Amino acid sequence: MKLCPRVRNSSYVIGVISIVLILGSLNVNVVECNKLDSIEYPAINCRKHNALLTDFGGVGDGKTSNTKAFESAISKLSQYASDGGAQLIVPPGKWLTGPFNLTSHFTLFLHKEAVLLASQIESEWPQLPVLPSYGRGRDAPGGRFSSLIFGANLTDVVITGQNGTIDGQGSYWWDKFHKQQLNLTRPYMIEIMYSDQIQISNLTLVNSPSWFVHPIYSSNIIIQGLTILAPVDSPNTDGIDPDSCTNTRIEDCYIVSGDDCVAVKSGWDQYGIKFRKPTEHLIIRRLTCISPDSAMIALGSEMSGGIQDVRVEDIVAINTESAIRIKTAIGRGGYVKNIFAKGMTLNTMKYVFWMTGSYGSHPDPGFDPKALPQITGINYKDVVAKNVTYSARLDGISNDPFTGICISNVTIQVSEQQKKPQWNCTDIVGVTSNVIPNPCPLLPQKEKINCPFPNDKLPIDNVQLKTCSLENVF
Ligand SMILES: *[C@@H]1O[C@H](CO)[C@@H](O)[C@H](O)[C@H]1NC(C)=O
Ligand SMILES: *[C@@H]1O[C@H](CO)[C@@H](O)[C@H](O)[C@H]1NC(C)=O
Ligand SMILES: *[C@@H]1O[C@H](CO)[C@@H](O)[C@H](O)[C@H]1NC(C)=O
Ligand SMILES: *[C@@H]1O[C@H](CO)[C@@H](O)[C@H](O)[C@H]1NC(C)=O
Ligand SMILES: *[C@@H]1O[C@H](CO)[C@@H](O)[C@H](O)[C@H]1NC(C)=O
Ligand SMILES: *[C@@H]1O[C@H](CO)[C@@H](O)[C@H](O)[C@H]1NC(C)=O
Ligand SMILES: *[C@@H]1O[C@H](CO)[C@@H](O)[C@H](O)[C@H]1NC(C)=O
Ligand SMILES: *[C@@H]1O[C@H](CO)[C@@H](O)[C@H](O)[C@H]1NC(C)=O
């Protein structure tokens, strides 16, 4: 990499405007260098102030802990929140770190050759209380470890950068999970809570201890261009889990994982019912997924705050257990309604369509057996699937059928060792049209039905990203 002269002031934080002014007075070489090293990237907001992790004592040797460097950098940069915001740049190198907390009006930018390595020293991971909509941890009843990158009660946060890498070094945690040695829930890689205006984009995320990206109780979220990779047998390595979030757009992500590529959630049984915060107005488009034992997109199983208005377009799954799967249970309460998906290309699937009303998995015996989930208005169309074992397994709940199911324009080519029946349906109500192979009697074929897909735009779709530039910083 070409090194350019770098100018800094005593506070180690330089406004872009002052860089431009100083460089303007220097010679042509600097300008050329400047051009060479100029990086442009899209973001919800650009920042006035920049700093490098190395300004705060960061060492990118893969061995030295950078927890303190991140902490002091972000603490310092938080002072610029009301003065144009600030950006922390992680240069090329391997940066070992424990968890750190983000701040508002802030961008974390990874150079393409930057790798964040998550610490495997448990004492470096702060403990957080359980999520109020879950009532307990997912791995253990008690509290939970902080995520590697954590933020709560923030506005306007960007995590991005040229496909740089965040490596959760999850094997330590997967091992403890398998040996049942966890008494706290494993960390997630990125968790943002109670926040507004979030962007997570253009990164490679590998080997999270558990879920990768977990926005919860938040709104106006753009997740774009993530490559998420974990071994297909790693435990609970969900890709992206929008959880009790409003207005979310997930685009152009490529996910290989040991659990659902995207899992849409909203709290668990009596805790989620009480918390009452749905996930709604969610767009998922151009997702590619490989997950042999899980779903491309799961709705639930934690859905007690409700899930509604989900719009899915142009998704591809290869060697994945199912395409979109609804998972729920007696005791969940809540609802999954107004779900729309069009354009699925699938290859090597156990089930194309899968709905499970008996998922079980309760936080504790205190769930209300009268809290029945309402599943209605589920619309799937324009599906081409190859090498499929079962076309559909659709199990509603007796005395609580899943209704308003519409499936149209579907061609499923079943695999050589095809199992019968192709469609296994109980406690569901709906229609189909132009579907091969012929669906179950509970979903009679009608002529010329085109299942609906909304035409209006959600507010999150109108958010335009600005072009930000980083000049002469590396
Ligand atoms: C991050 O903030 C939470 C509270 O919001 C706190 O409990 C936790 O210790 C902080 N994490 C770090 C690494 O400072
Ligand atoms: C964030 O805000 C929520 C809800 O307003 C509050 O309950 C919580 O204590 C705050 N959390 C932190 C870490 O500041
Ligand atoms: C990002 O990096 C991953 C892992 O190396 C790679 O597979 C992917 O193609 C890269 N994405 C882009 C857009 O360069
Ligand atoms: C948590 O588990 C470890 C063993 O994995 C054990 O040493 C420790 O005492 C436990 N802590 C609590 C609070 O139970
Ligand atoms: C980030 O990814 C988007 C596509 O998701 C692409 O259009 C954009 O150019 C990328 N930006 C950078 C800086 O790589
Ligand atoms: C078809 O699916 C089976 C698993 O059901 C898999 O073993 C096989 O490799 C797939 N064939 C092709 C051509 O993808
Ligand atoms: C049916 O689905 C295919 C594959 O997605 C698509 O190309 C075609 O346009 C759809 N047909 C209609 C009538 O919408
Ligand atoms: C159909 O699904 C039911 C559960 O709803 C299951 O008990 C049954 O074994 C399935 N039938 C076949 C033939 O797979």
Side-chain angles (χ1 to χ4, degrees), residues 290-329:
I290 299 177
S291 183
D293 299 314
S294 299
M296 164 151 56
I297 298 173
L299 304 170
S301 79
E302 306 90 329
M303 40 60 71
S304 303
I307 295 173
Q308 67 180 336
D309 192 2
V310 177
R311 307 169 182 201
V312 177
E313 280 176 85
D314 302 328
I315 56 176
V316 176
I318 305 151
N319 191 16
T320 295
E321 192 172 29
S322 69
I324 301 178
R325 180 178 181 193
I326 296 174
K327 304 194 259 193
T328 187

Coordinates of all heavy atoms in Angstrom, one line a residue, residues 290-329:
I290 N -26.9 -20.2 1.8 CA -26.6 -21.6 1.9 C -26.7 -22.0 3.4 O -25.9 -21.5 4.2 CB -25.2 -21.9 1.4 CG1 -25.0 -21.5 -0.1 CG2 -24.8 -23.4 1.6 CD1 -23.7 -21.7 -0.7
S291 N -27.6 -22.9 3.7 CA -27.7 -23.4 5.1 C -28.4 -24.7 5.1 O -29.7 -24.8 5.3 CB -28.5 -22.3 5.9 OG -28.6 -22.7 7.2
P292 N -27.7 -25.8 5.0 CA -28.3 -27.1 4.8 C -29.3 -27.6 5.9 O -30.1 -28.4 5.6 CB -27.1 -28.1 4.8 CG -25.9 -27.2 4.5 CD -26.2 -25.8 5.0
D293 N -29.1 -27.0 7.1 CA -30.0 -27.5 8.2 C -31.0 -26.4 8.7 O -31.6 -26.6 9.7 CB -29.2 -28.0 9.4 CG -28.3 -29.2 9.0 OD1 -28.8 -30.1 8.3 OD2 -27.1 -29.1 9.3
S294 N -31.1 -25.3 7.9 CA -32.0 -24.3 8.4 C -32.6 -23.5 7.2 O -32.5 -24.0 6.1 CB -31.2 -23.3 9.3 OG -30.7 -24.0 10.4
A295 N -33.3 -22.5 7.5 CA -34.1 -21.8 6.5 C -33.3 -20.6 5.9 O -32.5 -20.0 6.5 CB -35.4 -21.2 7.1
M296 N -33.7 -20.3 4.7 CA -33.2 -19.0 4.1 C -33.7 -17.9 4.9 O -33.0 -17.0 5.3 CB -33.6 -18.9 2.6 CG -33.4 -17.5 2.1 SD -33.1 -17.5 0.3 CE -34.5 -18.3 -0.4
I297 N -35.0 -17.8 5.1 CA -35.6 -16.8 5.9 C -36.6 -17.5 6.9 O -37.5 -18.2 6.5 CB -36.4 -15.8 5.1 CG1 -35.5 -15.0 4.1 CG2 -37.1 -14.7 6.0 CD1 -36.2 -14.1 3.1
A298 N -36.4 -17.3 8.2 CA -37.3 -17.8 9.2 C -38.1 -16.6 9.7 O -37.6 -15.6 9.9 CB -36.6 -18.5 10.3
L299 N -39.4 -16.9 9.9 CA -40.3 -15.9 10.6 C -40.6 -16.6 11.9 O -41.3 -17.6 12.0 CB -41.5 -15.6 9.8 CG -41.3 -15.2 8.4 CD1 -42.5 -15.2 7.5 CD2 -40.6 -13.8 8.3
G300 N -39.9 -16.1 13.0 CA -40.0 -16.8 14.3 C -38.7 -17.6 14.6 O -37.8 -17.4 13.9
S301 N -38.6 -18.5 15.5 CA -39.8 -18.9 16.3 C -40.3 -17.8 17.3 O -41.5 -17.8 17.6 CB -39.6 -20.2 17.0 OG -38.9 -20.1 18.2
E302 N -39.4 -16.9 17.7 CA -39.8 -15.9 18.6 C -40.5 -14.8 17.9 O -39.9 -14.1 17.1 CB -38.6 -15.3 19.4 CG -37.7 -16.3 20.0 CD -36.6 -16.8 19.1 OE1 -36.8 -16.9 17.9 OE2 -35.5 -17.2 19.6
M303 N -41.8 -14.8 18.0 CA -42.6 -13.8 17.2 C -43.8 -13.3 18.0 O -44.8 -12.8 17.5 CB -43.2 -14.5 15.9 CG -43.7 -15.9 16.0 SD -45.0 -16.2 17.1 CE -46.3 -15.4 16.2
S304 N -43.6 -13.3 19.4 CA -44.7 -13.0 20.3 C -45.1 -11.5 20.2 O -46.2 -11.2 20.6 CB -44.4 -13.4 21.7 OG -44.0 -14.8 21.7
G305 N -44.2 -10.6 19.8 CA -44.6 -9.2 19.6 C -45.3 -9.0 18.2 O -45.7 -7.8 18.0
G306 N -45.3 -10.0 17.4 CA -45.9 -9.8 16.1 C -44.9 -9.6 15.0 O -43.8 -9.0 15.2
I307 N -45.2 -10.1 13.8 CA -44.4 -9.8 12.6 C -45.3 -9.5 11.5 O -46.3 -10.3 11.2 CB -43.5 -11.1 12.2 CG1 -42.5 -11.4 13.3 CG2 -42.9 -10.8 10.8 CD1 -41.8 -12.7 13.0
Q308 N -45.2 -8.3 10.9 CA -46.1 -8.0 9.8 C -45.5 -7.1 8.7 O -44.5 -6.4 9.0 CB -47.4 -7.3 10.3 CG -47.2 -6.0 10.9 CD -48.5 -5.4 11.4 OE1 -49.6 -5.7 11.0 NE2 -48.4 -4.5 12.4
D309 N -46.1 -7.1 7.6 CA -45.6 -6.3 6.4 C -44.1 -6.6 6.1 O -43.3 -5.8 6.3 CB -45.8 -4.8 6.6 CG -45.6 -4.1 5.3 OD1 -45.3 -4.7 4.3 OD2 -45.7 -2.8 5.3
V310 N -43.9 -7.8 5.7 CA -42.5 -8.3 5.3 C -42.6 -8.5 3.7 O -43.5 -9.1 3.2 CB -42.1 -9.6 6.0 CG1 -40.8 -10.0 5.5 CG2 -42.2 -9.4 7.5
R311 N -41.7 -7.9 3.0 CA -41.6 -7.9 1.6 C -40.3 -8.5 1.1 O -39.2 -7.9 1.4 CB -41.8 -6.5 1.0 CG -43.1 -5.9 1.6 CD -43.1 -4.4 1.2 NE -44.3 -3.8 1.8 CZ -44.9 -2.7 1.4 NH1 -44.3 -2.0 0.4 NH2 -45.9 -2.2 2.0
V312 N -40.4 -9.7 0.5 CA -39.2 -10.4 0.1 C -39.1 -10.5 -1.4 O -40.1 -10.9 -2.0 CB -39.2 -11.8 0.7 CG1 -38.0 -12.6 0.3 CG2 -39.3 -11.7 2.3
E313 N -38.0 -10.2 -2.0 CA -37.9 -10.2 -3.5 C -36.5 -10.8 -3.9 O -35.5 -10.5 -3.3 CB -37.9 -8.8 -4.1 CG -39.2 -8.2 -4.2 CD -39.0 -6.7 -4.7 OE1 -38.9 -6.5 -5.9 OE2 -39.0 -5.8 -3.9
D314 N -36.6 -11.6 -5.0 CA -35.3 -12.0 -5.6 C -34.3 -12.7 -4.7 O -33.3 -12.1 -4.4 CB -34.6 -10.9 -6.4 CG -35.6 -10.2 -7.4 OD1 -36.4 -11.0 -8.0 OD2 -35.5 -9.0 -7.6
I315 N -34.7 -13.8 -4.2 CA -33.9 -14.5 -3.3 C -33.4 -15.9 -3.8 O -34.2 -16.5 -4.6 CB -34.5 -14.7 -1.9 CG1 -35.9 -15.4 -2.0 CG2 -34.7 -13.4 -1.2 CD1 -36.6 -15.7 -0.7
V316 N -32.2 -16.3 -3.5 CA -31.6 -17.5 -4.0 C -31.2 -18.4 -2.8 O -30.5 -17.9 -2.0 CB -30.4 -17.2 -4.9 CG1 -29.7 -18.5 -5.4 CG2 -30.8 -16.3 -6.1
A317 N -31.6 -19.6 -2.9 CA -31.0 -20.6 -1.9 C -30.5 -21.8 -2.5 O -31.1 -22.3 -3.5 CB -32.1 -21.0 -0.9
I318 N -29.3 -22.2 -2.0 CA -28.7 -23.4 -2.6 C -28.4 -24.3 -1.4 O -27.9 -23.9 -0.3 CB -27.3 -23.1 -3.2 CG1 -27.6 -22.0 -4.3 CG2 -26.7 -24.3 -3.8 CD1 -26.4 -21.1 -4.6
N319 N -28.8 -25.6 -1.5 CA -28.5 -26.6 -0.4 C -28.9 -26.0 0.9 O -28.1 -25.8 1.9 CB -27.0 -26.9 -0.4 CG -26.7 -28.1 0.5 OD1 -27.6 -28.8 0.9 ND2 -25.4 -28.3 0.8
T320 N -30.2 -25.7 1.0 CA -30.8 -25.1 2.2 C -32.0 -25.9 2.6 O -32.7 -26.4 1.7 CB -31.1 -23.6 1.9 OG1 -29.9 -22.9 1.6 CG2 -31.8 -22.9 3.0
E321 N -32.3 -26.0 3.9 CA -33.4 -26.9 4.3 C -34.7 -26.4 3.8 O -35.5 -27.2 3.3 CB -33.4 -27.0 5.8 CG -34.3 -28.1 6.3 CD -34.2 -28.4 7.8 OE1 -33.9 -27.5 8.6 OE2 -34.5 -29.6 8.1
S322 N -35.0 -25.1 3.9 CA -36.3 -24.6 3.3 C -36.1 -23.1 2.9 O -35.1 -22.5 3.3 CB -37.4 -24.7 4.4 OG -37.1 -23.8 5.4
A323 N -37.0 -22.6 2.1 CA -37.0 -21.3 1.7 C -37.4 -20.4 2.8 O -36.6 -20.0 3.7 CB -37.8 -21.1 0.4
I324 N -38.7 -20.0 2.8 CA -39.2 -19.2 4.0 C -39.9 -20.1 4.9 O -40.8 -20.9 4.5 CB -40.2 -18.1 3.5 CG1 -39.4 -17.2 2.5 CG2 -40.7 -17.3 4.7 CD1 -40.3 -16.1 1.9
R325 N -39.6 -20.1 6.2 CA -40.2 -21.0 7.1 C -40.9 -20.2 8.2 O -40.2 -19.3 8.8 CB -39.2 -21.9 7.7 CG -39.8 -22.9 8.8 CD -38.8 -23.9 9.3 NE -39.5 -24.8 10.3 CZ -38.8 -25.6 11.1 NH1 -37.5 -25.6 11.2 NH2 -39.5 -26.3 11.9
I326 N -42.1 -20.5 8.5 CA -42.8 -19.9 9.7 C -42.7 -20.9 10.8 O -43.0 -22.0 10.7 CB -44.3 -19.6 9.3 CG1 -44.3 -18.5 8.2 CG2 -45.0 -19.1 10.6 CD1 -45.7 -18.2 7.7
K327 N -42.2 -20.4 12.0 CA -42.0 -21.2 13.1 C -42.8 -20.6 14.3 O -42.5 -19.4 14.6 CB -40.5 -21.3 13.5 CG -39.6 -21.8 12.5 CD -38.2 -22.1 13.0 CE -37.2 -21.1 12.9 NZ -35.8 -21.6 13.1
T328 N -43.7 -21.3 14.9 CA -44.4 -20.8 16.0 C -44.9 -21.9 16.9 O -44.6 -23.1 16.7 CB -45.6 -19.9 15.5 OG1 -46.1 -19.2 16.7 CG2 -46.6 -20.7 14.8
A329 N -45.6 -21.6 18.0 CA -46.1 -22.6 18.9 C -47.2 -22.0 19.7 O -47.4 -20.8 19.9 CB -44.9 -23.0 19.8

